[in-house]
């Protein structure tokens, strides 16, 4: 039986990004988008293949593979790509990227809590910095021999900003990418505010020991920031076609469109919804009840809300709804909900806590809410 391809292809978007890094004065872009919005699938299934067609040598690095020691993952992965480029087999790079696609498809169904407070970050050594620099030079040399340009696709790049121990690694990549102008790079991360801070702020807070401290950002002004777009409305027609042709399931387009909107336009959760529908022969409404429960588990929403005070939750909802902080209406809302007068300093402390927990991130261009489903979960928790 032929495997069903659930991936909605976006070749035009891939071409747009590749022309941007290949032809524009700044050969690097950073894609901003929350978790589960489909960035990794797009990078591997749309962008990397199109890059090969257009004369790039795509090098894919998913930093989340080793968040404790990303330098080890970079060294290991670059070594694999260098060996593949040197191989006489025409499919070597394609096969290496295909293994990443397979890993993505296997992990797609794994739902687990994402809160991990036990991560121990390792210090990047000078020898590791030197090794990565030499590997990048080797990639450039091999690409030049093929008359192609190296394209570094760095996924989950925000991990490089999770500890000040990794700042030398950022500086290493920045220096090499600045030195060799034939290099193109596309970064992506699952924290819009976190990635934006790396590239758009001269200084930002990073973990230093067990506290946060302001440090200079090595990636500052090194890439153009691009908001990764939601799937086009036409994707619903694509998925309805698959349901009808392969599973003889018919449902109203409006019903599936409304469900997609309720899932914050996440391709991941839409695919999980379709899996429930096809595996258990459920209608959209019944499948949505199951998916909402999985979203709570995946985002560890119960764990997160247990650590928030009532005022923390109210401030989160107010920020989410109005983007304002201390207006007269805001303070009145807090006081009415808490049943007592609330001081501005208490709201300030709540906002600082939400930022520290990376539930809210803020930079010059705006405010971002990084945890899908948290607003609805808090509203339910507070009976609002």
């Amino acid at each position: 039986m032929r495997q069903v391809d659930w991936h909605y292809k976006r070749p035009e978007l891939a071409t747009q990004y590749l022309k941007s890094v290949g032809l524009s004065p700044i050969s690097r872009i950073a894609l901003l988008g929350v978790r589960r919005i489909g960035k990794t699938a797009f990078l591997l299934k749309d962008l990397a293949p199109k890059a090969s067609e257009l004369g790039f040598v795509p090098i894919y690095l998913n930093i989340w593979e080793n968040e404790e020691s990303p330098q080890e993952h970079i060294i290991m992965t670059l070594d694999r790509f260098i060996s593949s480029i040197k191989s006489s087999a025409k499919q070597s790079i394609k096969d290496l990227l295909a293994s990443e696609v397979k890993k993505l498809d296997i992990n797609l169904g794994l739902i687990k809590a994402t809160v991990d407070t036990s991560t121990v970050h390792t210090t990047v050594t000078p020898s590791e910095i030197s090794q990565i620099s030499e590997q990048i030079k080797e990639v450039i040399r091999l690409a030049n021999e093929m008359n192609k340009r190296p394209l570094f696709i760095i996924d989950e790049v925000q991990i490089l900003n999770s500890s000040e121990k990794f700042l030398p690694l950022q500086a290493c990549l920045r220096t090499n990418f600045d030195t060799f102008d034939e290099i193109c790079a596309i970064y992506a991360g699952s924290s819009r505010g976190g990635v934006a801070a790396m590239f758009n702020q001269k200084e930002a807070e990073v973990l230093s020991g067990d506290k946060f401290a302001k440090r200079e950002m090595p990636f500052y002004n090194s890439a153009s920031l691009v908001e990764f777009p939601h799937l086009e409305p036409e994707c619903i027609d694509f998925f309805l076609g698959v349901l009808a042709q392969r599973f003889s399931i018919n449902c109203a387009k409006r019903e599936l469109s409304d469900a997609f909107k309720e899932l914050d336009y996440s391709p991941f959760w839409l695919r999980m919804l379709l899996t429930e529908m096809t595996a258990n022969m459920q209608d959209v409404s019944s499948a949505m009840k199951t998916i909402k429960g999985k979203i709570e588990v995946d985002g560890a929403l119960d764990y997160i809300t247990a650590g928030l005070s009532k005022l923390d939750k109210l401030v989160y909802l107010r920020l989410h709804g109005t983007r304002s902080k201390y207006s007269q209406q805001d303070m009145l809302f807090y006081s009415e909900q808490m049943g007592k007068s609330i001081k501005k300093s208490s709201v300030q402390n709540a906002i600082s806590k939400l930022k520290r927990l990376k539930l809210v991130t803020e930079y010059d261009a705006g405010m971002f809410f990084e945890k899908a489903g948290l607003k609805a979960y808090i509203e339910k928790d507070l009976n609002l």
Side-chain angles (χ1 to χ4, degrees):
M1 182 178 292
R2 186 166 58 87
Q3 184 178 359
V4 177
D5 183 5
W6 288 102
H7 179 66
Y8 178 73
K9 296 178 175 59
R10 309 174 83 179
E12 295 84 3
L13 184 62
T15 301
Q16 174 188 326
Y17 290 156
L18 291 167
K19 283 185 176 181
S20 178
V21 298
L23 303 175
S24 297
I26 297 180
S27 57
R28 282 159 262 168
I29 61 174
L31 304 179
L32 307 179
V34 295
R35 187 168 172 263
R36 304 299 199 193
I37 200 174
K39 296 183 301 299
T40 297
F42 170 78
L43 293 175
L44 286 170
K45 296 185 176 185
D46 294 314
L47 190 129
K50 180 62 68 173
S52 296
E53 288 180 23
L54 296 178
F56 292 95
V57 177
I59 311 292
Y60 178 78
L61 297 158
N62 189 331
I63 306 301
W64 212 324
E65 291 275 333
N66 189 344
E67 57 182 308
E68 296 87 358
S69 184
Q71 67 274 18
E72 292 181 7
H73 174 69
I74 291 174
I75 289 170
M76 179 187 68
T77 305
L78 287 179
D79 185 61
R80 288 176 178 171
F81 272 93
I82 288 170
S83 297
S84 294
I85 297 171
K86 288 181 177 179
S87 171
S88 58
K90 291 184 178 180
Q91 298 293 312
S92 55
I93 288 286
K94 187 175 181 180
D95 290 341
L96 196 54
L97 291 169
S99 70
E100 293 290 341
V101 172
K102 186 175 182 180
K103 194 186 304 179
L104 170 68
D105 288 339
I106 290 173
N107 291 334
L108 188 64
L110 297 181
I111 303 298
K112 62 179 181 178
T114 56
V115 175
D116 184 4
T117 59
S118 62
T119 300
V120 178
H121 304 113
T122 62
T123 300
V124 183
T125 66
S127 62
E128 288 172 325
I129 293 295
S130 296
Q131 186 173 356
I132 291 172
S133 294
E134 290 304 313
Q135 288 177 311
I136 292 174
K137 291 175 185 176
E138 181 66 0
V139 168
I140 294 170
R141 185 186 69 81
L142 293 170
N144 284 339
E145 287 183 355
M146 297 184 289
N147 196 28
K148 294 184 177 183
R149 294 183 70 177
L151 171 68
F152 286 82
I153 305 170
I154 303 182
D155 205 358
E156 302 297 352
V157 69
Q158 79 280 351
I159 298 296
L160 299 182
N161 222 40
S162 58
S163 169
E164 71 172 349
K165 293 180 179 180
F166 302 151
L167 296 183
L169 183 53
Q170 286 191 48
C172 168
L173 295 174
R174 170 72 187 264
T175 299
N176 279 281
F177 291 179
D178 282 352
T179 301
F180 303 102
D181 58 9
E182 58 263 63
I183 292 178
C184 297
I186 294 179
Y187 307 95
S190 54
S191 166
R192 286 181 296 180
V195 174
M198 294 175 68
F199 293 94
N200 211 43
Q201 292 182 199
K202 194 170 185 179
E203 291 183 341
E205 289 189 345
V206 296
L207 190 63
S208 176
D210 59 352
K211 298 180 180 180
F212 283 87
K214 275 203 168 185
R215 296 289 184 264
E216 289 191 3
M217 296 287 96
F219 279 165
Y220 173 63
N221 265 358
S222 66
S224 299
L225 303 183
V226 178
E227 187 76 22
F228 186 71
H230 295 303
L231 289 182
E232 298 83 356
E234 292 78 16
C235 75
I236 297 299
D237 293 321
F238 167 77
F239 292 119
L240 288 173
V242 175
L243 287 174
Q245 295 167 18
R246 301 301 300 274
F247 299 94
S248 299
I249 294 176
N250 295 289
C251 67
K253 180 176 180 178
R254 177 65 179 271
E255 191 176 15
L256 193 59
S257 296
D258 288 347
F260 191 34
K261 180 179 180 181
E262 193 173 351
L263 294 171
D264 290 330
Y265 301 102
S266 166
F268 173 86
W269 290 115
L270 178 61
R271 183 166 169 179
M272 295 299 292
L273 175 74
L274 296 171
T275 299
E276 285 295 323
M277 293 175 62
T278 56
N280 299 312
M281 299 304 292
Q282 293 182 335
D283 58 22
V284 174
S285 178
S286 299
M288 276 292 288
K289 293 178 182 178
T290 302
I291 297 306
K292 287 179 180 178
K294 290 186 176 183
I295 289 174
E296 292 180 6
V297 173
D298 179 67
L301 301 186
D302 56 345
Y303 177 91
I304 291 170
T305 53
L308 299 177
S309 70
K310 183 177 180 179
L311 182 59
D312 295 335
K313 297 172 186 176
L314 291 170
V315 170
Y316 181 87
L317 293 179
R318 194 67 180 175
L319 292 175
H320 204 295
T322 67
R323 300 300 197 273
S324 65
K325 302 174 182 178
Y326 316 115
S327 71
Q328 184 177 353
Q329 291 81 6
D330 295 330
M331 302 308 295
L332 181 61
F333 170 77
Y334 302 136
S335 298
E336 288 180 345
Q337 292 295 325
M338 294 295 292
K340 61 181 181 180
S341 179
I342 298 299
K343 296 180 180 179
K344 182 179 177 180
S345 59
S346 298
V347 177
Q348 289 173 328
N349 290 336
I351 293 174
S352 295
K353 182 177 179 179
L354 294 171
K355 289 182 177 180
R356 187 171 65 253
L357 294 173
K358 298 190 183 301
L359 301 178
V360 177
T361 53
E362 190 174 16
Y363 75 106
D364 293 343
M367 188 179 296
F368 298 110
F369 301 87
E370 307 292 356
K371 187 64 65 173
L374 182 58
K375 176 178 177 289
Y377 192 88
I378 289 177
E379 288 173 337
K380 179 181 176 182
D381 181 62
L382 296 177
N383 293 316
L384 294 177

